[in-house]
Amino acid sequence: MADKSILIVDDTEINRGILSEIFKSDYAILEAENGRKALALIAQKKDEIAAILLDIVMPEMDGFRLLEELFKHRIPDKIPVLMITADSSAETERKCYENGASDVIHKPFDSVIVKHRVKRAIELNMSRQDLEQKVSDQTKVLKKQFLVLKKQEERLREMNSRIIDTICTIVEFRNLESGYHLKRIKGFVQILANVAMRNYPEFGLTPHKIEVITNASAMHDIGKITVPDAILLKPGRLTPDEFDIMKSHTTRGCEIVKMLADLQDKEYLEVSYDICRHHHEKYDGKGYPDGLKGEEISIAAQLTSLADVYDALVSDRVYKSAFAPSKAYEMIKNGESGIFSTKMLACFDIARPEMEAMVARTKAEEEATESNGGIGQLSQ
């Protein structure tokens, strides 16, 4: 290692001479008789130095003070420092190690021991630096791979979301509704959920959960694809038997959600299933299919239920004309469309202006699309 140097820092010339003789055949030798000169040499030649042999007892700046200065500049992270001392007490050795020394060399010097300890310190330091570099390189590779996988996952999630939205919109078309219905449902759910997150922390809503619930709400009526046209599009009142078939869209929707499991992650699948099954449950227990009551109904199902009822009221359906948003608001508040929790109604109060604005905006978009000969938006 002739291209590397050993720095010997000792105020006694004879000690520097002895150590120089030990290492001169393997290393270039740098000498400093005090700590300040050593600092100057290290600043100039730190990339060349393989190890520093540092005497503890020196004038001007002793070994421990110099070691402290070196640590300020993180030198011992790159260059092993071995302390030189005539004191063989455990207390002195402990202090050396506690202050960051790699090893301790005792006076008088034994050339074999000194060589071995310095060689070991240098090799350990080189191995550590090599390992750190490999870890750093591998970390960079892993980060790049992670970013690639993350982008692929995002693209896959986006593609799956579009597929599911398209399937759900086809159901809406069959129900003689445009893709704007799903756009409004998702918009209403997101608006209500954000209000609920700000005002009712007990719901446990987070931005991530709101995103999942909002996207999953598009699945709420997917089970209607199994309902016969004669019932789905009937303009008049349904018979009890017909209504039973119509209600089955909740449980049939759950079956379809299971069939789409490969297109959804576990969390999205669970929320979609819950919304499909329970978006017609009512807070007083008079909903279907399970007759859930109160907080037995998940926040995801409650949000979707309110959004669905509101959109049904403000939209034209085969069995009725659209109500004005103000009328729809009063009907929901008065319990004419089923009972909702006081907290959900309080959120509805706060969200009402934003929801009414969305109704006006999407209806204007829908009318513009129809006037241009379009058929609505397949996915929003």
Side-chain angles (χ1 to χ4, degrees):
M1 300 181 69
D3 57 334
K4 286 289 186 177
S5 303
I6 296 287
L7 172 59
I8 303 168
V9 187
D10 195 314
D11 63 319
T12 304
E13 184 177 358
I14 190 170
N15 288 336
R16 298 199 305 272
I18 293 171
L19 292 170
S20 296
E21 283 296 319
I22 293 173
F23 292 105
K24 69 180 183 180
S25 61
D26 298 313
Y27 298 93
I29 304 299
L30 298 173
E31 296 185 30
E33 63 268 20
N34 58 61
R36 300 195 185 283
K37 185 175 180 182
L39 283 175
L41 277 171
I42 293 167
Q44 294 172 12
K45 300 178 179 291
K46 61 178 178 291
D47 293 334
E48 303 172 16
I49 298 173
I52 300 171
L53 310 187
L54 176 57
D55 190 24
I56 293 177
V57 182
M58 294 186 296
E60 294 191 46
M61 179 185 289
D62 68 19
F64 288 124
R65 281 190 59 202
L66 177 56
L67 187 58
E68 184 179 333
E69 286 296 315
L70 295 179
F71 258 97
K72 288 180 182 178
H73 301 283
R74 303 182 65 85
I75 296 299
D77 290 345
K78 300 177 181 177
I79 306 172
V81 179
L82 295 90
M83 305 302 286
I84 301 171
T85 180
D87 186 350
S88 59
S89 68
E91 182 180 350
T92 297
E93 280 204 30
R94 185 184 302 111
K95 187 175 180 181
C96 290
Y97 293 127
E98 287 175 348
N99 282 273
S102 296
D103 209 338
V104 180
I105 297 173
H106 293 287
K107 302 175 186 175
F109 304 121
D110 182 303
S111 61
V112 174
I113 294 174
V114 171
K115 260 193 169 185
H116 175 76
R117 291 194 173 184
V118 172
K119 179 183 178 183
R120 182 179 62 185
I122 292 172
E123 288 176 346
L124 285 173
N125 184 66
M126 289 175 63
S127 297
R128 180 179 58 80
Q129 290 191 34
D130 183 54
L131 180 60
E132 287 176 353
Q133 185 61 50
K134 287 179 179 177
V135 170
S136 177
D137 292 342
Q138 187 63 30
T139 300
K140 290 177 182 177
V141 171
L142 290 173
K143 281 182 178 179
K144 288 181 180 178
Q145 291 175 341
F146 172 76
L147 290 173
V148 169
L149 289 173
K150 188 175 181 181
K151 287 180 180 178
Q152 290 176 343
E153 182 185 3
E154 288 172 355
R155 284 196 295 267
L156 182 61
R157 185 183 294 114
E158 182 181 356
M159 181 182 71
N160 290 345
S161 179
R162 288 181 179 178
I163 291 171
I164 290 169
D165 273 5
T166 301
I167 293 170
C168 294
T169 305
I170 291 170
V171 176
E172 300 306 328
F173 281 159
R174 183 168 173 267
N175 201 25
L176 300 184
E177 294 170 1
S178 74
Y180 286 93
H181 168 63
L182 287 185
K183 182 174 184 178
R184 284 192 294 270
I185 290 293
K186 292 170 74 173
F188 294 157
V189 167
Q190 186 174 48
I191 293 167
L192 288 165
N194 280 319
V195 172
M197 179 177 66
R198 293 193 298 268
N199 291 275
Y200 297 105
E202 60 267 32
F203 287 144
L205 291 169
T206 64
H208 170 72
K209 286 184 179 179
I210 289 174
E211 181 183 5
V212 173
I213 292 170
T214 298
N215 290 329
S217 66
M219 302 279 282
H220 70 290
D221 272 345
I222 195 169
K224 284 185 177 179
I225 201 168
T226 66
V227 178
D229 286 348
I231 297 174
L232 187 67
L233 305 179
K234 184 176 180 178
R237 188 177 184 86
L238 298 178
T239 68
D241 288 342
E242 289 172 336
F243 189 49
D244 283 341
I245 294 172
M246 178 65 82
K247 288 193 296 184
S248 71
H249 81 274
T250 55
T251 52
R252 298 301 296 274
C254 292
E255 296 171 10
I256 295 171
V257 167
K258 288 182 178 179
M259 292 168 60
L260 296 172
D262 289 342
L263 297 178
Q264 306 174 68
D265 63 33
K266 186 174 184 292
E267 182 182 20
Y268 188 95
L269 175 69
E270 290 174 351
V271 176
S272 298
Y273 186 95
D274 175 48
I275 287 174
C276 275
R277 188 174 186 91
H278 298 136
H279 70 283
H280 281 291
E281 301 289 353
K282 297 300 179 184
Y283 207 71
D284 59 359
K286 295 182 179 180
Y288 61 86
D290 299 318
L292 300 183
K293 187 175 183 179
E295 297 308 314
E296 292 176 347
I297 310 168
S298 71
I299 184 61
Q302 290 187 54
L303 290 166
T304 306
S305 177
L306 180 52
D308 190 35
V309 167
Y310 183 67
D311 189 63
L313 292 173
V314 299
S315 302
D316 289 325
R317 295 290 170 90
V318 292
Y319 53 86
K320 72 165 193 65
S321 298
F323 291 105
S326 58
K327 175 63 175 174
Y329 171 79
E330 292 300 329
M331 293 172 72
I332 290 173
K333 292 289 286 186
N334 294 335
E336 296 177 45
S337 298
I339 302 300
F340 293 95
S341 74
T342 54
K343 291 178 182 179
M344 198 57 46
L345 293 176
C347 292
F348 188 35
D349 278 332
I350 298 170
R352 178 187 175 188
E354 195 174 352
M355 292 173 70
E356 288 187 355
M358 185 173 189
V359 172
R361 183 171 64 253
T362 56
K363 286 196 173 184
E365 291 174 5
E366 193 169 3
E367 289 171 2
T369 300
E370 289 174 355
S371 67
N372 290 329
I375 61 170
Q377 300 183 7
L378 278 176
S379 61
Q380 301 296 328

